[in-house]
Amino acid sequence: MKLLVTGGAGYIGSVVTALLLEAGHGVTVLDSLSTGHRDAVPPGATLVEGDVHGAADVLDPSFDAVLHFAARSLVGESVQDPGPYWANNVGGTLALLEAMRSNGVNRLVFSSTAATYGDPPSEAPLRESDPAVPTNPYGASKLAVDHLLSGWARAHGLGAVSLRYFNVAGAHLGFGERHDPETHLVPNLLRVAAGRAPHASVLGTDYPTGDGTAVRDYLHVADLAEAHLRALERAEPGSHRVYNLGSGGGYSVREVLAAVRRVTGHPVPAVDGPRRAGDPAVLVAANALARRELGWKPVRTLDRTVADAWAFARGREAGA
């Protein structure tokens, strides 16, 4: 197939692009490089530098489908300045859908988020049928896109699949996490292991969990990327499906810290601190629907995830 990947110079988009190329597809990447990296576009893909609002300048009737990763994704930033999140995440997607419709491209895989759910109603794994009540503009913008896709499917015959991720980590095929600023736990712990930060921060030690720290769902980026290829096959005209992607379980902050110490062989000192306001005790995804309908399941362990992220980080340092 001939595919457009928006945001394909970013972390997850680059890994998905690499897998698509391995599967024999032709890929054009549309990325503004505002947060992505030119050297993260896998060899064999065509890079068009530009904003998702300009998708009409790239798409033509020869394309078969779109995988859409281009989005602003920092929760705190979205609270401080929500306008760009609505303009890019919703307005940009609307422009993309208009471009797809005018060119007869009717299959889309959308990179969504667990932030659409907001504060979970219980500590049980979240299911797709649970209420989606986002608590920040980032999650609200992603949920708005889900509603947009449902309407587009009914009105214009779009076949769309939304994939709601939780925490993604690791590296694959030479592509990994390179955010600035970095807000994710695993790469920040690895910065301490590499001697680039004095200590890790454990935010909250009094949660009602096994060890008092928050529990989250961690998924290897390669497992996540493989789900996108399966979702591409599942996108059927006139339908919009939503799937959670997660491990089906979860790990506490202290368990992730122990894995980083185990994998790297470094002590990784940690300092306990207070909870962040609004952080739930447990946030994990039920993945039964994705297993059943996509034929997908995660296979890489937490230690493998950390090891791959560590190898990528060390490789970046060696090449600097």
Side-chain angles (χ1 to χ4, degrees):
M1 287 191 288
K2 184 177 179 181
L3 305 171
L4 176 66
V5 178
T6 70
Y11 172 38
I12 297 169
S14 64
V15 177
V16 171
T17 296
L19 289 187
L20 291 169
L21 292 167
E22 273 197 339
H25 300 296
V27 181
T28 296
V29 168
L30 175 62
D31 199 299
S32 68
L33 302 182
S34 59
T35 57
H37 305 272
R38 189 179 300 274
D39 62 355
V41 177
T46 299
L47 171 63
V48 176
E49 188 174 346
D51 188 85
V52 68
H53 289 85
D57 297 328
V58 181
L59 280 171
D60 62 51
S62 68
F63 280 87
D64 297 294
V66 176
L67 295 98
H68 182 30
F69 299 91
R72 290 177 176 265
S73 60
L74 297 178
V75 170
E77 182 183 71
S78 79
V79 173
Q80 295 170 2
D81 189 12
Y85 280 74
W86 291 101
N88 185 84
N89 296 2
V90 180
T93 301
L94 180 58
L96 174 63
L97 290 173
E98 291 284 10
M100 291 175 63
R101 184 162 70 101
S102 65
N103 285 284
V105 182
N106 66 354
R107 296 170 69 184
L108 175 75
V109 177
F110 174 55
S111 167
S112 191
T113 172
T116 55
Y117 292 109
D119 292 331
S122 71
E123 293 184 2
L126 280 165
R127 299 168 297 176
E128 292 83 353
S129 58
D130 283 328
V133 188
T135 57
N136 55 71
Y138 166 58
S141 70
K142 288 284 193 171
L143 182 60
V145 171
D146 279 340
H147 290 305
L148 180 59
L149 297 181
S150 292
W152 220 260
R154 287 191 298 268
H156 305 304
L158 176 71
V161 176
S162 293
L163 300 176
R164 291 177 176 169
Y165 325 149
F166 288 67
N167 293 278
V168 185
H172 191 58
L173 299 175
F175 303 99
E177 206 160 358
R178 296 160 60 185
H179 298 124
D180 183 21
E182 184 55 74
T183 61
H184 296 153
L185 179 63
V186 170
N188 278 328
L189 293 178
L190 293 177
R191 290 183 70 246
V192 181
R196 297 174 54 214
H199 61 78
S201 297
V202 178
L203 301 179
T205 59
D206 59 347
Y207 287 102
T209 60
D211 62 19
T213 63
V215 172
R216 297 291 183 267
D217 205 334
Y218 293 88
L219 194 63
H220 194 293
V221 67
D223 285 330
L224 182 79
E226 287 163 5
H228 287 76
L229 273 67
R230 293 178 180 268
L232 190 60
E233 299 171 358
R234 185 67 175 168
E236 299 175 358
S239 71
H240 173 222
R241 293 181 169 87
V242 176
Y243 298 100
N244 287 341
L245 298 182
S247 66
Y251 300 94
S252 72
V253 172
R254 294 208 191 280
E255 287 174 325
V256 177
L257 180 57
V260 170
R261 290 168 172 161
R262 188 164 57 243
V263 167
T264 66
H266 292 274
V268 192
V271 175
D272 292 347
R275 301 184 188 187
R276 290 185 301 192
D279 271 0
V282 178
L283 188 60
V284 299
N287 62 19
L289 189 63
R291 283 175 175 263
R292 184 171 66 251
E293 295 193 1
L294 298 180
W296 170 86
K297 65 177 181 179
V299 297
R300 295 163 179 86
T301 63
L302 177 62
D303 277 24
R304 167 71 183 277
T305 302
V306 172
D308 287 348
W310 179 237
F312 176 77
R314 296 297 297 272
R316 293 286 304 170
E317 289 179 4

